[in-house]
Amino acid sequence: MRESLRTDEIKVSGFGRVDVVGESPSTNTALVAAVRADPGAWPAPSALVTEHQTAGRGRAGRSWEAPPRAALTVSVLLRPAVPAERLGWLPLLAGAAVVRVLSRYDTGHGAYGGAAVAGSGDDDGTGPLAVKWPNDVLVKAEPPRDGLGTFRKVAGILTEVVPGTGTGPGERAAVVLGIGLNVSQTEQELPVETATSLALAGFGEIDRTALLVALLDEVVAAAGRWELAGGDPDASGLAAECAAVSATLGTRVRAELAAGAGEIVGEAVRLDATGALVIRTDAGEERTVAAGDVHHLRRS
């Protein structure tokens, strides 16, 4: 029997409110609607958590499912004091925060070959926990899968600007940052073969309540450092942190551009000032991808 979150222990410094509900179609959808209906009731930061998300949403309208109490599903309300063009760093910031939290847990050698300590590094120089641009948290796994190489997806991140907020003088737009983290799913409970859970990756039994508190604290601390630097990814240290945990940078990739605008193949070389991915093609041209699906390619 999977345990419920212990709501009386979910106390995170600085949060205006953290609500836990038994079931929600999508915490992002619900929180966006709640903030639009009554912005004053949701001071930043606040969070909405559900034990069972029945119609979770990923990027490009994809669905995200998990059995009750098998995952952490949380949406965080932020009002970042940064230029609007820098908001593309939010999913990257959150991904790096998830990696830092998970790296505190010792891992064994589960069905997917978890490493001894997350972040310790492998023969190819990439640690067992990494972030695929722009919003997937991965763990090392074998055998390789198309599009992810020697990784499996353990968490997804979705950010949404709340329409109708931040329109007045001095007002900051509200942003909802959703994180879905697979915790205890069995292989049969996963929706696709490219996904995994912390249990399958060898992390053992995870206390979801403690994990949630640590995750909320880490995300807000990282966002705070970013805001203090005015959204500057270099001055805040965010750019270096994201590069250090990136599974995409330095990899040969194929980027399928949004709205059917074609694709770009080449090496992912860096992130630009807005968090977009810069790809160097075989012809030596550098192309910037702000939105789209990125697939990791095996080197020939």
Side-chain angles (χ1 to χ4, degrees), residues 165-237:
T165 60
T167 56
E171 292 182 0
R172 298 200 299 267
V175 180
V176 170
L177 172 67
I179 301 173
L181 174 60
N182 294 336
V183 178
S184 64
Q185 288 97 321
T186 64
E187 194 162 5
Q188 292 72 32
E189 291 172 328
L190 295 168
V192 292
E193 66 175 8
T194 52
T196 190
S197 67
L198 295 177
L200 287 172
F203 282 71
E205 292 189 12
I206 297 287
D207 184 329
R208 289 190 309 129
T209 300
L211 182 59
L212 173 63
V213 170
L215 184 57
L216 291 176
D217 184 69
E218 188 67 40
V219 167
V220 170
R225 288 189 287 114
W226 180 50
E227 287 187 68
L228 283 175
D232 186 321
D234 294 309
S236 64

Side-chain angles (χ1 to χ4, degrees), residues 84-166:
E85 63 270 17
R86 297 291 176 89
L87 292 177
W89 280 96
L90 263 178
L92 301 168
L93 175 157
V98 172
V99 168
R100 283 195 297 276
V101 170
L102 294 181
S103 68
R104 301 170 191 167
Y105 291 81
D106 288 346
T107 64
H109 293 275
Y112 289 121
V117 177
S120 60
D122 284 72
D123 292 342
D124 63 2
T126 303
L129 285 160
V131 178
K132 174 177 175 284
W133 184 91
N135 64 339
D136 291 340
V137 179
L138 313 175
V139 293
K140 279 282 189 176
E142 291 288 351
R145 299 293 189 194
D146 288 342
L148 288 179
T150 56
F151 284 101
R152 299 285 188 281
K153 178 177 176 178
V154 75
I157 298 163
L158 179 67
T159 56
E160 298 179 76
V161 176
V162 181
T165 60

